[in-house]
Amino acid sequence: MSTQSLIELSSTSLYLSFLIYLIAILPWGLSVKSKRSIFSRVALLLTLLGFILQLIYFISRWYVSGHAPVSNLYEFMTFFGIMLVGSFFILYYIYRQSVMGLFILPISLIILGYANAFSKEISPLIPALQSKWLTIHVITVAFSSAVLSISFVTGLIYLLKTINPKEKSKKSFFLELIMYFLIVVIGFIIITTAFQTTNYKQYIKFTNKQDQIEIYEYRLPALTVPKNSVIVESRDSKNHISQKNSVIETPLLIDAQKLNTIIWSFLTGTLIYLVIRLICRCNVISLIKPVSKKVNANLMDEITYRSVVIGFPLFALGGLVFAMIWAQLAWSRFWGWDPKEVWALITFLFYSVLLHLRIGKGWEGERTAWMAIIGFGIIIFNQVFVNLIISGLHSYA
């Protein structure tokens, strides 16, 4: 097959997997409500088919690019989605809990939709990325993060089972807040896709921290721009366009272009959330609580714990040990307090504390569930916010 054919095969396989996962949500939902095993079998078969298509995407893209497709945010988040489904298969084989599939697939779809907002271009690796240790490091981190994310899902299911959404309390408030943040991510997918279809572009010219002229290509209308920047007609244009007063200038430490995307995501997500509340006249957790009716809370607590036990040592290996080896080869130092390195350490320490409190202090059930959710928040913050907003050596991701 030609290179172009393989690229098309890769893209088509990923697109088909998205559609199949979307369809598979229905039989997973029916399997939760019904005692008939046919629904869970159909759901599992569809999910397996989607997973195989994702693997075809990954292998074909690897073959075309000549390196593991985990070198930018699109590729990493897509691979993270693959590993999330793969982790689900492992734990489903052990525990046979259909409700996990009902929650895992929508989150996988959100991850795939999020990845789709970034550049899909296959480009040569920069020198720092031309190392087998990058592949080992990133693949291990993605897999371990996916396993740890299972604890988020089961912890969320546990809380839906045990918390009364109609009761005004801190627990119900924070659980609703989690639903809000998930909707914000959906808002990001919707707003970026909408402007992509119109081929919207806006060019902002500014002087970066190295006193070099740089131009940002905005795919959403600019709300935040770098300090002392100007709008230009194109990348090659020297004609300036007067700046709007409504635009906010940010310090060069912050990536204004990506901050702009996050602001648009929150605006869109908040609007969607308010529409849902207005139409349904209840909070989001009240809408989804019925799916937890037949859930065994103690079993969800056990899966949450087991996920952390499996994922934590893998993250320590990939996120710290392998990362240090790669850092030494790429930048001649094991550790440099880069923002991504700092947050990898924070993630490691947090899950260390979780396991200590679980094993040594007897923190079970609700406490473990909340900590698993916070841990997932730290992982997402590291992979999304740190990558998008804070400048550092890992900004290429």
Side-chain angles (χ1 to χ4, degrees):
M1 296 179 68
S2 66
T3 299
Q4 186 60 37
S5 298
L6 284 172
I7 293 174
E8 291 177 0
L9 173 64
S10 177
S11 300
T12 302
S13 298
L14 192 62
Y15 176 73
L16 288 175
S17 71
F18 184 92
L19 293 179
I20 290 171
Y21 285 156
L22 196 61
I23 295 170
I25 291 175
L26 179 59
W28 277 124
L30 293 173
S31 69
V32 171
K33 291 289 185 178
S34 174
K35 294 181 179 180
R36 298 175 63 183
S37 61
I38 183 64
F39 294 121
S40 60
R41 290 177 182 176
V42 170
L44 192 61
L45 183 62
L46 287 171
T47 306
L48 180 60
L49 178 58
F51 182 68
I52 292 172
L53 287 168
Q54 282 185 308
L55 291 178
I56 292 173
Y57 145 80
F58 185 75
I59 294 170
S60 57
R61 189 176 177 93
W62 191 332
Y63 182 82
V64 170
S65 64
H67 58 80
V70 291
S71 59
N72 57 44
L73 200 53
Y74 167 74
E75 293 177 343
F76 178 85
M77 294 307 295
T78 303
F79 183 67
F80 179 56
I82 296 173
M83 290 295 96
L84 184 59
V85 177
S87 302
F88 160 71
F89 278 124
I90 295 172
L91 290 166
Y92 181 81
Y93 177 78
I94 299 172
Y95 294 101
R96 299 289 177 177
Q97 293 296 300
S98 296
V99 68
M100 290 171 58
L102 182 59
F103 281 78
I104 288 291
L105 284 195
I107 292 175
S108 297
L109 289 172
I110 289 174
I111 291 172
L112 289 176
Y114 174 80
N116 190 60
F118 299 96
S119 174
K120 306 171 188 62
E121 182 181 352
I122 297 176
S123 56
L125 294 177
I126 63 174
L129 304 183
Q130 295 173 5
S131 169
K132 64 180 180 180
W133 284 106
L134 167 71
T135 302
I136 297 171
H137 155 58
V138 177
I139 287 178
T140 309
V141 167
F143 179 58
S144 60
S145 298
V147 176
L148 292 171
S149 298
I150 298 291
S151 67
F152 160 75
V153 172
T154 51
L156 187 62
I157 296 170
Y158 180 94
L159 294 175
L160 284 171
K161 174 69 176 181
T162 57
I163 292 177
N164 181 3
K166 296 181 180 179
E167 179 182 310
K168 291 185 178 180
S169 63
K170 291 182 180 179
K171 297 176 184 179
S172 59
F173 169 78
F174 283 112
L175 192 57
E176 182 70 11
L177 187 63
I178 294 167
M179 296 297 110
Y180 165 74
F181 282 126
L182 289 175
I183 293 174
V184 166
V185 179
I186 295 173
F188 165 83
I189 296 168
I190 291 173
I191 194 66
T192 52
T193 302
F195 276 94
Q196 276 181 1
T197 57
T198 63
N199 199 30
Y200 177 88
K201 292 180 181 179
Q202 186 178 23
Y203 298 96
I204 305 294
K205 185 177 181 180
F206 68 102
T207 303
N208 61 25
K209 291 187 293 184
Q210 289 74 39
D211 290 328
Q212 298 174 339
I213 299 297
E214 189 172 348
I215 296 179
Y216 278 161
E217 182 181 276
Y218 279 63
R219 298 300 181 95
L220 296 170
L223 300 177
T224 58
V225 297
K227 188 176 181 180
N228 299 325
S229 60
V230 292
I231 300 175
V232 293
E233 294 178 350
S234 66
R235 287 189 179 276
D236 301 324
S237 175
K238 296 182 180 180
N239 298 323
H240 299 170
I241 303 172
S242 60
Q243 186 66 272
K244 297 179 181 178
N245 294 328
S246 59
V247 172
I248 301 171
E249 292 190 345
T250 64
L252 296 179
L253 176 65
I254 296 174
D255 191 320
Q257 179 190 23
K258 294 171 181 177
L259 176 60
N260 183 69
T261 302
I262 288 180
I263 292 174
W264 272 106
S265 302
F266 271 93
L267 291 174
T268 309
T270 301
L271 179 61
I272 295 170
Y273 176 78
L274 292 175
V275 169
I276 293 173
R277 291 291 302 264
L278 184 63
I279 294 175
C280 300
R281 296 185 178 182
C282 66
N283 52 24
V284 177
I285 56 175
S286 295
L287 289 176
I288 61 177
K289 184 176 176 62
V291 301
S292 66
K293 185 177 181 181
K294 297 181 180 180
V295 167
N296 184 328
N298 291 331
L299 184 56
M300 288 298 110
D301 178 54
E302 180 184 341
I303 300 173
T304 301
Y305 170 62
R306 296 298 175 189
S307 301
V308 176
V309 167
I310 296 170
F312 172 71
L314 287 173
F315 184 86
L317 194 63
L320 295 179
V321 178
F322 293 158
M324 288 178 180
I325 296 173
W326 171 46
Q328 175 64 29
L329 294 173
W331 301 301
S332 300
R333 82 321 183 254
F334 287 103
W335 190 267
W337 298 104
D338 186 70
K340 200 74 180 291
E341 296 171 342
V342 171
W343 279 96
L345 179 61
I346 290 172
T347 305
F348 169 79
L349 292 175
F350 178 84
Y351 281 104
S352 300
V353 171
L354 189 160
L355 288 175
H356 169 73
L357 293 174
R358 172 83 183 202
I359 298 171
K361 302 294 184 180
W363 279 35
E364 299 181 356
E366 193 172 300
R367 287 176 170 178
T368 298
W370 281 116
M371 289 196 73
I373 289 172
I374 294 171
F376 178 75
I378 293 173
I379 290 173
I380 295 302
F381 182 88
N382 190 12
Q383 301 302 341
V384 177
F385 188 86
V386 175
N387 274 329
L388 292 183
I389 300 299
I390 303 175
S391 299
L393 290 173
H394 291 73
S395 295
Y396 56 80

